[in-house]
């Protein structure tokens, strides 16, 4: 469920769904041709709420921004990665009420899309701005893990090492 929030890749996929590879290529070329030099085609018809993240209307944008703010406040307060369940419990405490199922769905969607926060494979949620995680998208973390392992490894071993890297990382202010 998209909840009225999409990123560039999902929007392009929706426009090219059911197309042959050749048709999809033509659609993407067409989108590039009509793309304005000042920004994304999607930003012209949707509301940009973060880089490459858009929503359908102001109500959804407001909910996204509020929920993202609660996630950021909680992570910054703890100054360390939090398990998703711990994060959501902390947000509920700050709101002084349980999160509704719609709020939980939106928060989970934010963790999937946002360039501000990231859900690691081990389930921990981090701020992407923390220096320990700058440039530490999945490819970078996997490369670091492989380097530390010192040999070709199975994906499960790499994931385990990435999790240990994230647990060992000294967070800001600690």
């Amino acid at each position: 469920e998209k909840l009225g929030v999409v990123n560039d890749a999902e929007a392009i996929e929706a426009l090219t769904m059911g197309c042959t590879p050749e048709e999809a290529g033509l659609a993407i070329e067409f989108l590039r041709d009509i793309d304005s030099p000042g920004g994304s085609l999607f930003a012209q018809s949707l509301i940009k709420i973060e880089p490459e993240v858009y929503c359908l209307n102001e109500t959804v944008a407001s909910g996204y921004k509020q929920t993202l703010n609660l996630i950021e406040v909680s992570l910054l307060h703890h100054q360390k990665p939090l398990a998703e369940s711990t994060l959501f419990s902390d947000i509920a405490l700050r709101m002084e009420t349980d999160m509704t199922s719609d709020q939980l769905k939106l928060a989970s969607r934010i963790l999937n899309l946002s360039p501000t926060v990231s859900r690691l494979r081990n389930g921990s949620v981090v701020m992407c701005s923390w220096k320990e995680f700058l440039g530490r998208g999945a490819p970078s973390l996997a490369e670091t893990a492989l380097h530390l392992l010192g040999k070709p490894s199975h994906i499960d071993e790499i994931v385990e090492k990435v999790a240990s890297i994230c647990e060992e990382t000294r967070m800001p202010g600690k």
Side-chain angles (χ1 to χ4, degrees):
E1 190 173 341
K2 305 277 189 242
L3 303 170
V5 179
V6 296
N7 63 15
D8 279 345
E10 290 172 332
I12 290 171
E13 180 182 335
L15 294 172
T16 60
M17 192 177 300
C19 297
T20 65
E22 294 80 19
E23 292 168 331
L26 289 172
I28 291 170
E29 276 185 47
F30 171 72
L31 290 172
R32 286 186 183 132
D33 287 345
I34 62 172
D35 201 12
S36 72
S40 166
L41 168 69
F42 305 114
Q44 295 173 21
S45 54
L46 300 171
I47 299 168
K48 185 174 185 173
I49 45 183
E50 286 195 273
E52 298 183 12
V53 180
Y54 307 91
C55 67
L56 301 176
N57 59 51
E58 288 294 337
T59 303
V60 174
S62 176
Y64 183 102
K65 289 175 185 175
Q66 288 173 351
T67 305
L68 177 59
N69 182 269
L70 288 167
I71 292 169
E72 289 177 290
V73 166
S74 183
L75 288 170
L76 291 171
H77 172 77
H78 290 280
Q79 293 289 304
K80 66 178 184 177
L82 296 176
E84 187 173 332
S85 59
T86 304
L87 173 67
F88 291 169
S89 294
D90 191 69
I91 290 171
L93 285 173
R94 291 176 191 286
M95 292 174 29
E96 298 180 356
T97 183
D98 287 337
M99 293 176 75
T100 67
S101 67
D102 285 345
Q103 288 171 322
L104 287 169
K105 288 177 189 173
L106 180 58
S108 184
R109 183 83 174 130
I110 289 169
L111 297 180
N112 288 334
L113 294 179
S114 177
T116 304
V117 295
S118 182
R119 181 191 300 124
L120 303 178
R121 184 147 179 138
N122 69 357
S124 296
V125 180
V126 300
M127 294 289 300
C128 295
S129 62
W130 285 340
K131 67 179 182 169
E132 292 82 1
F133 296 98
L134 285 177
R136 291 245 179 146
S140 179
L141 284 168
E143 286 176 18
T144 301
L146 278 169
H147 177 73
L148 292 171
L149 289 167
K151 61 181 174 49
S153 303
H154 187 273
I155 186 69
D156 291 339
E157 193 176 1
I158 296 168
V159 168
E160 190 176 309
K161 188 63 177 174
V162 167
S164 73
I165 292 168
C166 294
E167 289 169 8
E168 294 168 5
T169 301
R170 182 174 143 78
M171 299 312 308
K174 294 290 176 194

